[in-house]
């Protein structure tokens, strides 16, 4: 759940494709995601998770022509890239929300309850979010949706795709 307008959550779908580059300089392209933000997130994957992406073309797209500027989409972007890089499918019943810091940590985002409610309304059975955001929420939502708290990008990837 990557964007908030006032207090209303907007659920977006994003896609990533990672493929070997056939040129001396690999390509990084995105639609709906800031190029600088994408470069930062790729550096986190390289440094903190150990993915070797230098010789890979990477494409990221937000479906529907929406542009996301909120950092709450960071974790979802990284998981989509990791999924394509490892050829492992992400769980279809899981929504993802979380900002990612330069050291690979998952940082809290505002309006967590609204994001969880929107995921439930859209039929998701679980939502991955920063561990710090779970305070007091498990008791309120655990019977309705599984809350998966993560502290780092590496932990998120391990849980989501093994």
């Amino acid at each position: 759940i990557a964007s908030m307008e006032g207090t209303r959550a907007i659920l977006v779908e994003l896609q990533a494709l990672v493929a070997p580059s056939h040129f001396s300089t690999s390509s990084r392209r995105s639609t709906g995601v800031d190029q600088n933000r994408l470069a930062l997130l790729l550096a986190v994957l390289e440094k903190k998770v150990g993915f070797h992406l230098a010789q890979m073309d990477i494409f990221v797209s937000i479906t529907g022509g929406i542009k996301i500027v909120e950092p709450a989409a960071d974790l979802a972007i990284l998981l989509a890239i990791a999924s394509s890089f490892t050829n492992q499918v992400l769980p279809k019943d899981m929504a993802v929300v979380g900002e990612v810091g330069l050291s690979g940590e998952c940082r809290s985002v505002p309006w967590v309850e609204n994001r969880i409610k929107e995921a439930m309304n859209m039929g998701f059975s679980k939502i991955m979010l920063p561990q710090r955001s779970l305070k007091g929420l498990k008791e309120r939502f655990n019977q309705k949706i599984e809350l998966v708290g993560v502290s780092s990008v590496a932990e998120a990837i391990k849980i989501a795709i093994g």
Side-chain angles (χ1 to χ4, degrees):
I1 293 125
S3 185
M4 296 294 296
E5 285 186 14
T7 57
R8 183 183 160 112
I10 298 174
L11 183 80
V12 297
E13 177 184 345
L14 59 95
Q15 301 174 340
L17 176 64
V18 178
S21 182
H22 298 289
F23 302 101
S24 60
T25 304
S26 56
S27 178
R28 272 65 169 133
R29 303 248 168 101
S30 66
T31 304
V33 177
D34 179 65
Q35 288 288 119
N36 294 325
R37 191 75 184 170
L38 178 59
L40 179 142
L41 295 173
L42 292 173
V44 168
L45 275 179
E46 289 245 1
K47 178 79 173 176
K48 299 300 178 181
V49 183
F51 283 13
H52 301 288
L53 302 170
Q55 300 302 316
M56 306 298 256
D57 290 334
I58 300 172
F59 304 92
V60 175
S61 178
I62 305 295
T63 60
I66 296 173
K67 182 173 177 146
I68 298 298
V69 294
E70 186 182 29
D74 290 354
L75 188 58
I77 292 167
L78 288 180
L79 287 177
I81 293 167
S83 171
S84 180
F85 181 72
T86 62
N87 289 318
Q88 299 293 318
V89 178
L90 293 171
K92 295 184 186 310
D93 63 339
M94 183 174 68
V96 179
V97 62
E99 181 178 354
V100 173
L102 293 177
S103 65
E105 82 278 11
C106 294
R107 303 175 78 187
S108 297
V109 295
W111 304 299
V112 173
E113 290 187 38
N114 291 357
R115 296 171 198 270
I116 294 170
K117 288 175 186 174
E118 185 64 20
M120 290 175 9
N121 289 340
M122 296 299 294
F124 288 94
S125 61
K126 66 179 100 171
I127 182 169
M128 181 179 283
L129 61 160
Q131 184 71 38
R132 295 176 184 162
S133 297
L134 289 180
K135 188 175 182 179
L137 294 178
K138 281 211 173 207
E139 297 78 27
R140 291 190 61 206
F141 291 103
N142 213 20
Q143 299 298 322
K144 301 172 187 166
I145 189 169
E146 181 184 351
L147 303 177
V148 180
V150 293
S151 299
S152 68
V153 173
E155 181 184 6
I157 291 170
K158 184 177 180 181
I159 290 170
I161 59 178

Short mmCIF file of all heavy atoms in Angstrom, two decimals, residues 101-162:
data_model
loop_
_atom_site.label_atom_id
_atom_site.label_comp_id
_atom_site.label_asym_id
_atom_site.label_seq_id
_atom_site.Cartn_x
_atom_site.Cartn_y
_atom_site.Cartn_z
N GLY A 101 15.79 2.32 4.79
CA GLY A 101 16.89 3.25 5.04
C GLY A 101 18.17 2.79 4.36
O GLY A 101 18.25 1.67 3.84
N LEU A 102 19.17 3.63 4.38
CA LEU A 102 20.43 3.35 3.70
C LEU A 102 21.18 2.14 4.27
O LEU A 102 21.98 1.52 3.58
CB LEU A 102 21.34 4.57 3.74
CG LEU A 102 20.87 5.77 2.94
CD1 LEU A 102 21.83 6.94 3.12
CD2 LEU A 102 20.72 5.42 1.47
N SER A 103 20.92 1.80 5.51
CA SER A 103 21.58 0.63 6.10
C SER A 103 20.76 -0.65 5.92
O SER A 103 21.09 -1.67 6.49
CB SER A 103 21.88 0.87 7.58
OG SER A 103 20.69 1.00 8.31
N GLY A 104 19.69 -0.57 5.13
CA GLY A 104 18.87 -1.74 4.85
C GLY A 104 17.79 -2.00 5.87
O GLY A 104 17.10 -3.01 5.82
N GLU A 105 17.60 -1.08 6.82
CA GLU A 105 16.57 -1.26 7.83
C GLU A 105 15.21 -0.85 7.30
O GLU A 105 15.11 0.01 6.43
CB GLU A 105 16.91 -0.46 9.10
CG GLU A 105 16.55 1.02 9.08
CD GLU A 105 17.54 1.93 8.40
OE1 GLU A 105 18.47 1.44 7.72
OE2 GLU A 105 17.39 3.16 8.52
N CYS A 106 14.17 -1.49 7.82
CA CYS A 106 12.79 -1.13 7.46
C CYS A 106 12.30 -0.10 8.47
O CYS A 106 12.30 -0.35 9.67
CB CYS A 106 11.90 -2.36 7.48
SG CYS A 106 12.33 -3.54 6.21
N ARG A 107 11.90 1.04 7.95
CA ARG A 107 11.51 2.16 8.79
C ARG A 107 9.99 2.29 8.81
O ARG A 107 9.32 1.99 7.84
CB ARG A 107 12.14 3.44 8.26
CG ARG A 107 13.67 3.30 8.18
CD ARG A 107 14.30 4.48 7.56
NE ARG A 107 14.35 5.53 8.58
CZ ARG A 107 14.73 6.76 8.34
NH1 ARG A 107 15.07 7.13 7.12
NH2 ARG A 107 14.76 7.64 9.29
N SER A 108 9.48 2.78 9.92
CA SER A 108 8.04 2.97 10.08
C SER A 108 7.49 3.94 9.06
O SER A 108 8.20 4.82 8.57
CB SER A 108 7.73 3.50 11.48
OG SER A 108 8.13 2.58 12.45
N VAL A 109 6.21 3.77 8.78
CA VAL A 109 5.50 4.68 7.88
C VAL A 109 4.25 5.17 8.60
O VAL A 109 3.74 4.51 9.49
CB VAL A 109 5.12 3.99 6.55
CG1 VAL A 109 6.36 3.60 5.76
CG2 VAL A 109 4.24 2.79 6.78
N PRO A 110 3.74 6.33 8.21
CA PRO A 110 2.52 6.84 8.85
C PRO A 110 1.27 6.11 8.36
O PRO A 110 1.30 5.42 7.35
CB PRO A 110 2.50 8.32 8.43
CG PRO A 110 3.29 8.38 7.17
CD PRO A 110 4.32 7.28 7.27
N TRP A 111 0.19 6.28 9.08
CA TRP A 111 -1.13 5.75 8.71
C TRP A 111 -1.15 4.23 8.53
O TRP A 111 -1.81 3.71 7.64
CB TRP A 111 -1.66 6.44 7.45
CG TRP A 111 -1.74 7.92 7.55
CD1 TRP A 111 -2.48 8.66 8.43
CD2 TRP A 111 -1.02 8.86 6.75
NE1 TRP A 111 -2.26 9.99 8.22
CE2 TRP A 111 -1.37 10.15 7.18
CE3 TRP A 111 -0.13 8.73 5.70
CZ2 TRP A 111 -0.86 11.29 6.61
CZ3 TRP A 111 0.39 9.86 5.13
CH2 TRP A 111 0.02 11.13 5.59
N VAL A 112 -0.46 3.52 9.40
CA VAL A 112 -0.36 2.07 9.28
C VAL A 112 -1.73 1.41 9.37
O VAL A 112 -2.05 0.50 8.59
CB VAL A 112 0.60 1.49 10.35
CG1 VAL A 112 0.58 -0.02 10.35
CG2 VAL A 112 2.00 2.00 10.09
N GLU A 113 -2.56 1.85 10.30
CA GLU A 113 -3.88 1.23 10.45
C GLU A 113 -4.71 1.37 9.19
O GLU A 113 -5.38 0.43 8.78
CB GLU A 113 -4.62 1.84 11.65
CG GLU A 113 -4.01 1.42 12.97
CD GLU A 113 -4.84 1.88 14.15
OE1 GLU A 113 -6.07 1.86 14.06
OE2 GLU A 113 -4.23 2.25 15.16
N ASN A 114 -4.67 2.53 8.55
CA ASN A 114 -5.41 2.73 7.30
C ASN A 114 -4.90 1.81 6.20
O ASN A 114 -5.67 1.29 5.39
CB ASN A 114 -5.32 4.19 6.84
CG ASN A 114 -6.06 5.12 7.75
OD1 ASN A 114 -6.71 4.70 8.70
ND2 ASN A 114 -5.96 6.41 7.49
N ARG A 115 -3.60 1.60 6.15
CA ARG A 115 -3.01 0.73 5.15
C ARG A 115 -3.42 -0.72 5.37
O ARG A 115 -3.72 -1.44 4.42
CB ARG A 115 -1.48 0.88 5.16
CG ARG A 115 -1.00 2.27 4.78
CD ARG A 115 0.51 2.40 5.03
NE ARG A 115 0.97 3.76 5.08
CZ ARG A 115 1.39 4.47 4.04
NH1 ARG A 115 1.39 3.95 2.84
NH2 ARG A 115 1.82 5.70 4.20
N ILE A 116 -3.45 -1.13 6.63
CA ILE A 116 -3.88 -2.50 6.95
C ILE A 116 -5.34 -2.69 6.57
O ILE A 116 -5.71 -3.70 5.96
CB ILE A 116 -3.66 -2.80 8.45
CG1 ILE A 116 -2.15 -2.81 8.76
CG2 ILE A 116 -4.30 -4.12 8.84
CD1 ILE A 116 -1.83 -2.86 10.25
N LYS A 117 -6.18 -1.73 6.90
CA LYS A 117 -7.61 -1.82 6.57
C LYS A 117 -7.81 -1.90 5.06
O LYS A 117 -8.66 -2.68 4.58
CB LYS A 117 -8.37 -0.63 7.14
CG LYS A 117 -8.51 -0.67 8.66
CD LYS A 117 -9.17 0.60 9.18
CE LYS A 117 -9.19 0.61 10.70
NZ LYS A 117 -9.69 1.89 11.23
N GLU A 118 -7.05 -1.13 4.30
CA GLU A 118 -7.17 -1.18 2.84
C GLU A 118 -6.74 -2.54 2.30
O GLU A 118 -7.36 -3.08 1.39
CB GLU A 118 -6.37 -0.06 2.19
CG GLU A 118 -6.54 0.03 0.68
CD GLU A 118 -7.96 0.37 0.25
OE1 GLU A 118 -8.75 0.90 1.03
OE2 GLU A 118 -8.29 0.10 -0.94
N ALA A 119 -5.67 -3.11 2.85
CA ALA A 119 -5.23 -4.45 2.43
C ALA A 119 -6.33 -5.47 2.71
O ALA A 119 -6.60 -6.35 1.88
CB ALA A 119 -3.94 -4.83 3.15
N MET A 120 -6.97 -5.35 3.86
CA MET A 120 -8.07 -6.26 4.19
C MET A 120 -9.23 -6.08 3.22
O MET A 120 -9.80 -7.07 2.73
CB MET A 120 -8.54 -6.03 5.63
CG MET A 120 -7.52 -6.48 6.66
SD MET A 120 -7.86 -6.13 8.41
CE MET A 120 -9.50 -5.52 8.50
N ASN A 121 -9.57 -4.83 2.92
CA ASN A 121 -10.66 -4.55 1.98
C ASN A 121 -10.39 -5.12 0.59
O ASN A 121 -11.31 -5.50 -0.12
CB ASN A 121 -10.91 -3.04 1.86
CG ASN A 121 -11.54 -2.47 3.11
OD1 ASN A 121 -12.13 -3.17 3.91
ND2 ASN A 121 -11.40 -1.16 3.28
N MET A 122 -9.11 -5.18 0.21
CA MET A 122 -8.73 -5.69 -1.11
C MET A 122 -8.57 -7.21 -1.11
O MET A 122 -8.22 -7.79 -2.12
CB MET A 122 -7.44 -5.02 -1.59
CG MET A 122 -7.57 -3.53 -1.81
SD MET A 122 -8.78 -3.10 -3.07
CE MET A 122 -8.02 -3.79 -4.51
N GLY A 123 -8.79 -7.86 0.02
CA GLY A 123 -8.77 -9.31 0.08
C GLY A 123 -7.43 -9.96 0.40
O GLY A 123 -7.30 -11.18 0.28
N PHE A 124 -6.46 -9.17 0.83
CA PHE A 124 -5.16 -9.75 1.20
C PHE A 124 -5.29 -10.45 2.54
O PHE A 124 -5.99 -9.97 3.44
CB PHE A 124 -4.07 -8.68 1.26
CG PHE A 124 -3.68 -8.18 -0.10
CD1 PHE A 124 -4.27 -7.04 -0.63
CD2 PHE A 124 -2.74 -8.85 -0.86
CE1 PHE A 124 -3.92 -6.58 -1.88
CE2 PHE A 124 -2.38 -8.40 -2.11
CZ PHE A 124 -2.97 -7.27 -2.63
N SER A 125 -4.60 -11.58 2.70
CA SER A 125 -4.66 -12.32 3.96
C SER A 125 -3.46 -12.01 4.86
O SER A 125 -3.45 -12.39 6.02
CB SER A 125 -4.75 -13.82 3.71
OG SER A 125 -3.61 -14.27 3.01
N LYS A 126 -2.45 -11.33 4.31
CA LYS A 126 -1.31 -10.92 5.14
C LYS A 126 -0.71 -9.65 4.59
O LYS A 126 -0.87 -9.32 3.40
CB LYS A 126 -0.26 -12.02 5.26
CG LYS A 126 0.44 -12.40 4.00
CD LYS A 126 1.48 -13.48 4.24
CE LYS A 126 0.92 -14.81 3.84
NZ LYS A 126 1.90 -15.90 3.83
N ILE A 127 -0.04 -8.93 5.49
CA ILE A 127 0.63 -7.70 5.09
C ILE A 127 2.00 -7.67 5.78
O ILE A 127 2.10 -7.92 6.98
CB ILE A 127 -0.20 -6.44 5.42
CG1 ILE A 127 0.51 -5.17 4.95
CG2 ILE A 127 -0.57 -6.38 6.88
CD1 ILE A 127 -0.36 -3.91 4.99
N MET A 128 3.03 -7.41 4.99
CA MET A 128 4.38 -7.26 5.52
C MET A 128 4.62 -5.78 5.75
O MET A 128 4.38 -4.96 4.86
CB MET A 128 5.41 -7.82 4.54
CG MET A 128 6.85 -7.71 5.05
SD MET A 128 8.06 -8.39 3.89
CE MET A 128 7.82 -10.14 4.17
N LEU A 129 5.11 -5.45 6.95
CA LEU A 129 5.35 -4.07 7.30
C LEU A 129 6.49 -3.99 8.31
O LEU A 129 6.90 -5.01 8.87
CB LEU A 129 4.08 -3.41 7.84
CG LEU A 129 3.45 -3.97 9.10
CD1 LEU A 129 2.56 -2.91 9.71
CD2 LEU A 129 2.61 -5.18 8.79
N PRO A 130 7.03 -2.81 8.53
CA PRO A 130 8.13 -2.67 9.48
C PRO A 130 7.75 -3.15 10.88
O PRO A 130 6.64 -2.88 11.36
CB PRO A 130 8.42 -1.17 9.49
CG PRO A 130 7.92 -0.69 8.17
CD PRO A 130 6.71 -1.53 7.88
N GLN A 131 8.66 -3.86 11.51
CA GLN A 131 8.43 -4.37 12.87
C GLN A 131 8.04 -3.25 13.82
O GLN A 131 7.17 -3.41 14.67
CB GLN A 131 9.71 -5.07 13.36
CG GLN A 131 9.57 -5.72 14.72
CD GLN A 131 8.68 -6.95 14.69
OE1 GLN A 131 8.71 -7.72 13.74
NE2 GLN A 131 7.87 -7.11 15.72
N ARG A 132 8.66 -2.09 13.65
CA ARG A 132 8.38 -0.94 14.51
C ARG A 132 6.94 -0.46 14.42
O ARG A 132 6.44 0.20 15.31
CB ARG A 132 9.31 0.22 14.18
CG ARG A 132 10.75 -0.07 14.46
CD ARG A 132 11.61 1.08 14.00
NE ARG A 132 13.01 0.76 14.19
CZ ARG A 132 13.99 1.38 13.60
NH1 ARG A 132 13.74 2.39 12.79
NH2 ARG A 132 15.23 1.02 13.82
N SER A 133 6.28 -0.76 13.31
CA SER A 133 4.91 -0.32 13.11
C SER A 133 3.88 -1.23 13.77
O SER A 133 2.70 -0.89 13.81
CB SER A 133 4.60 -0.24 11.61
OG SER A 133 5.42 0.71 10.98
N LEU A 134 4.30 -2.38 14.28
CA LEU A 134 3.37 -3.36 14.81
C LEU A 134 2.89 -3.08 16.23
O LEU A 134 1.94 -3.71 16.68
CB LEU A 134 4.00 -4.76 14.79
CG LEU A 134 4.17 -5.39 13.43
CD1 LEU A 134 4.80 -6.76 13.57
CD2 LEU A 134 2.85 -5.49 12.71
N LYS A 135 3.53 -2.15 16.91
CA LYS A 135 3.21 -1.89 18.31
C LYS A 135 1.71 -1.68 18.52
O LYS A 135 1.12 -0.75 17.98
CB LYS A 135 3.99 -0.66 18.80
CG LYS A 135 3.88 -0.43 20.28
CD LYS A 135 4.76 0.72 20.71
CE LYS A 135 4.69 0.90 22.20
NZ LYS A 135 5.54 1.98 22.66
N GLY A 136 1.11 -2.59 19.26
CA GLY A 136 -0.31 -2.49 19.59
C GLY A 136 -1.27 -2.90 18.50
O GLY A 136 -2.48 -2.90 18.70
N LEU A 137 -0.76 -3.27 17.33
CA LEU A 137 -1.66 -3.60 16.21
C LEU A 137 -2.00 -5.08 16.11
O LEU A 137 -3.07 -5.43 15.62
CB LEU A 137 -1.05 -3.14 14.89
CG LEU A 137 -0.89 -1.64 14.71
CD1 LEU A 137 -0.23 -1.33 13.39
CD2 LEU A 137 -2.24 -0.94 14.81
N LYS A 138 -1.11 -5.95 16.56
CA LYS A 138 -1.36 -7.39 16.42
C LYS A 138 -2.66 -7.79 17.10
O LYS A 138 -3.42 -8.58 16.56
CB LYS A 138 -0.19 -8.19 16.96
CG LYS A 138 0.96 -8.24 15.99
CD LYS A 138 1.72 -9.53 16.14
CE LYS A 138 2.73 -9.58 15.02
NZ LYS A 138 3.10 -10.90 14.65
N GLU A 139 -2.90 -7.26 18.28
CA GLU A 139 -4.12 -7.61 19.01
C GLU A 139 -5.37 -7.13 18.26
O GLU A 139 -6.40 -7.80 18.28
CB GLU A 139 -4.11 -6.99 20.42
CG GLU A 139 -2.98 -7.48 21.31
CD GLU A 139 -1.64 -6.84 21.00
OE1 GLU A 139 -1.60 -5.69 20.49
OE2 GLU A 139 -0.61 -7.50 21.24
N ARG A 140 -5.28 -6.00 17.60
CA ARG A 140 -6.45 -5.43 16.91
C ARG A 140 -6.76 -6.12 15.59
O ARG A 140 -7.91 -6.24 15.21
CB ARG A 140 -6.22 -3.93 16.66
CG ARG A 140 -6.22 -3.13 17.94
CD ARG A 140 -6.22 -1.67 17.67
NE ARG A 140 -7.42 -1.31 16.93
CZ ARG A 140 -7.49 -0.25 16.13
NH1 ARG A 140 -6.47 0.53 15.98
NH2 ARG A 140 -8.60 0.02 15.49
N PHE A 141 -5.70 -6.53 14.86
CA PHE A 141 -5.91 -7.02 13.51
C PHE A 141 -5.57 -8.49 13.28
O PHE A 141 -5.90 -9.04 12.24
CB PHE A 141 -5.08 -6.19 12.51
CG PHE A 141 -5.56 -4.79 12.36
CD1 PHE A 141 -4.89 -3.74 12.97
CD2 PHE A 141 -6.67 -4.50 11.61
CE1 PHE A 141 -5.32 -2.44 12.82
CE2 PHE A 141 -7.12 -3.20 11.45
CZ PHE A 141 -6.44 -2.16 12.07
N ASN A 142 -4.92 -9.15 14.22
CA ASN A 142 -4.38 -10.48 13.97
C ASN A 142 -5.44 -11.52 13.62
O ASN A 142 -5.16 -12.47 12.90
CB ASN A 142 -3.53 -10.95 15.16
CG ASN A 142 -2.38 -11.82 14.72
OD1 ASN A 142 -1.99 -11.79 13.56
ND2 ASN A 142 -1.86 -12.60 15.63
N GLN A 143 -6.65 -11.35 14.09
CA GLN A 143 -7.72 -12.29 13.75
C GLN A 143 -8.23 -12.09 12.33
O GLN A 143 -8.81 -12.98 11.73
CB GLN A 143 -8.88 -12.15 14.74
CG GLN A 143 -8.50 -12.45 16.17
CD GLN A 143 -8.01 -13.87 16.37
OE1 GLN A 143 -8.53 -14.81 15.77
NE2 GLN A 143 -6.99 -14.03 17.19
N LYS A 144 -7.99 -10.91 11.75
CA LYS A 144 -8.53 -10.56 10.44
C LYS A 144 -7.50 -10.65 9.33
O LYS A 144 -7.84 -10.96 8.19
CB LYS A 144 -9.10 -9.14 10.49
CG LYS A 144 -10.20 -8.99 11.51
CD LYS A 144 -10.60 -7.54 11.66
CE LYS A 144 -11.58 -7.41 12.81
NZ LYS A 144 -11.79 -6.07 13.23
N ILE A 145 -6.23 -10.36 9.64
CA ILE A 145 -5.16 -10.38 8.65
C ILE A 145 -3.85 -10.69 9.37
O ILE A 145 -3.64 -10.24 10.50
CB ILE A 145 -5.07 -9.03 7.88
CG1 ILE A 145 -4.10 -9.11 6.71
CG2 ILE A 145 -4.73 -7.89 8.81
CD1 ILE A 145 -4.16 -7.90 5.76
N GLU A 146 -3.00 -11.48 8.74
CA GLU A 146 -1.71 -11.81 9.35
C GLU A 146 -0.76 -10.63 9.15
O GLU A 146 -0.52 -10.18 8.03
CB GLU A 146 -1.13 -13.06 8.70
CG GLU A 146 0.19 -13.48 9.27
CD GLU A 146 0.79 -14.67 8.56
OE1 GLU A 146 0.12 -15.29 7.72
OE2 GLU A 146 1.96 -14.97 8.85
N LEU A 147 -0.20 -10.15 10.26
CA LEU A 147 0.76 -9.05 10.22
C LEU A 147 2.16 -9.63 10.32
O LEU A 147 2.49 -10.30 11.30
CB LEU A 147 0.51 -8.07 11.36
CG LEU A 147 -0.90 -7.46 11.44
CD1 LEU A 147 -1.01 -6.56 12.65
CD2 LEU A 147 -1.23 -6.71 10.17
N VAL A 148 2.98 -9.38 9.30
CA VAL A 148 4.34 -9.91 9.25
C VAL A 148 5.29 -8.74 9.43
O VAL A 148 5.46 -7.92 8.52
CB VAL A 148 4.61 -10.62 7.90
CG1 VAL A 148 6.02 -11.17 7.85
CG2 VAL A 148 3.56 -11.71 7.65
N GLY A 149 5.91 -8.65 10.60
CA GLY A 149 6.83 -7.57 10.89
C GLY A 149 8.26 -7.93 10.51
O GLY A 149 8.70 -9.05 10.77
N VAL A 150 8.96 -6.99 9.87
CA VAL A 150 10.35 -7.21 9.48
C VAL A 150 11.18 -6.01 9.91
O VAL A 150 10.70 -4.88 9.93
CB VAL A 150 10.51 -7.47 7.96
CG1 VAL A 150 9.87 -8.79 7.57
CG2 VAL A 150 9.92 -6.34 7.14
N SER A 151 12.45 -6.28 10.23
CA SER A 151 13.36 -5.22 10.66
C SER A 151 14.31 -4.78 9.57
O SER A 151 14.86 -3.68 9.63
CB SER A 151 14.16 -5.68 11.88
OG SER A 151 13.29 -5.96 12.94
N SER A 152 14.54 -5.65 8.57
CA SER A 152 15.50 -5.32 7.52
C SER A 152 15.04 -5.88 6.18
O SER A 152 14.18 -6.75 6.11
CB SER A 152 16.87 -5.93 7.87
OG SER A 152 16.81 -7.34 7.79
N VAL A 153 15.68 -5.37 5.13
CA VAL A 153 15.39 -5.85 3.79
C VAL A 153 15.77 -7.32 3.66
O VAL A 153 15.03 -8.11 3.08
CB VAL A 153 16.15 -5.00 2.73
CG1 VAL A 153 16.00 -5.60 1.35
CG2 VAL A 153 15.66 -3.57 2.75
N ALA A 154 16.91 -7.70 4.21
CA ALA A 154 17.35 -9.09 4.14
C ALA A 154 16.32 -10.02 4.79
O ALA A 154 16.00 -11.08 4.24
CB ALA A 154 18.72 -9.25 4.80
N GLU A 155 15.80 -9.63 5.93
CA GLU A 155 14.78 -10.43 6.61
C GLU A 155 13.50 -10.51 5.77
O GLU A 155 12.89 -11.58 5.66
CB GLU A 155 14.48 -9.82 7.98
CG GLU A 155 13.45 -10.59 8.79
CD GLU A 155 13.09 -9.90 10.10
OE1 GLU A 155 13.54 -8.77 10.37
OE2 GLU A 155 12.33 -10.53 10.87
N ALA A 156 13.10 -9.40 5.18
CA ALA A 156 11.91 -9.37 4.33
C ALA A 156 12.05 -10.32 3.15
O ALA A 156 11.12 -11.07 2.82
CB ALA A 156 11.62 -7.95 3.86
N ILE A 157 13.21 -10.30 2.50
CA ILE A 157 13.44 -11.19 1.36
C ILE A 157 13.42 -12.64 1.79
O ILE A 157 12.81 -13.48 1.14
CB ILE A 157 14.77 -10.81 0.66
CG1 ILE A 157 14.63 -9.46 -0.02
CG2 ILE A 157 15.17 -11.90 -0.34
CD1 ILE A 157 15.93 -8.88 -0.55
N LYS A 158 14.04 -12.92 2.92
CA LYS A 158 14.07 -14.30 3.43
C LYS A 158 12.66 -14.81 3.71
O LYS A 158 12.33 -15.95 3.36
CB LYS A 158 14.93 -14.37 4.68
CG LYS A 158 15.11 -15.75 5.22
CD LYS A 158 16.04 -15.76 6.42
CE LYS A 158 16.22 -17.17 6.94
NZ LYS A 158 17.09 -17.22 8.11
N ILE A 159 11.84 -14.00 4.31
CA ILE A 159 10.47 -14.40 4.63
C ILE A 159 9.63 -14.52 3.36
O ILE A 159 8.87 -15.48 3.19
CB ILE A 159 9.83 -13.40 5.61
CG1 ILE A 159 10.47 -13.52 6.99
CG2 ILE A 159 8.32 -13.60 5.69
CD1 ILE A 159 10.09 -12.45 7.96
N ALA A 160 9.74 -13.56 2.46
CA ALA A 160 8.87 -13.52 1.27
C ALA A 160 9.24 -14.54 0.21
O ALA A 160 8.35 -15.14 -0.40
CB ALA A 160 8.87 -12.11 0.68
N ILE A 161 10.53 -14.75 -0.02
CA ILE A 161 10.92 -15.64 -1.12
C ILE A 161 11.93 -16.71 -0.72
O ILE A 161 12.36 -17.49 -1.56
CB ILE A 161 11.43 -14.86 -2.34
CG1 ILE A 161 12.64 -14.01 -1.99
CG2 ILE A 161 10.35 -14.02 -2.94
CD1 ILE A 161 13.21 -13.25 -3.18
N GLY A 162 12.31 -16.74 0.52
CA GLY A 162 13.20 -17.81 1.00
C GLY A 162 14.66 -17.58 0.75
O GLY A 162 15.17 -16.71 0.20
#
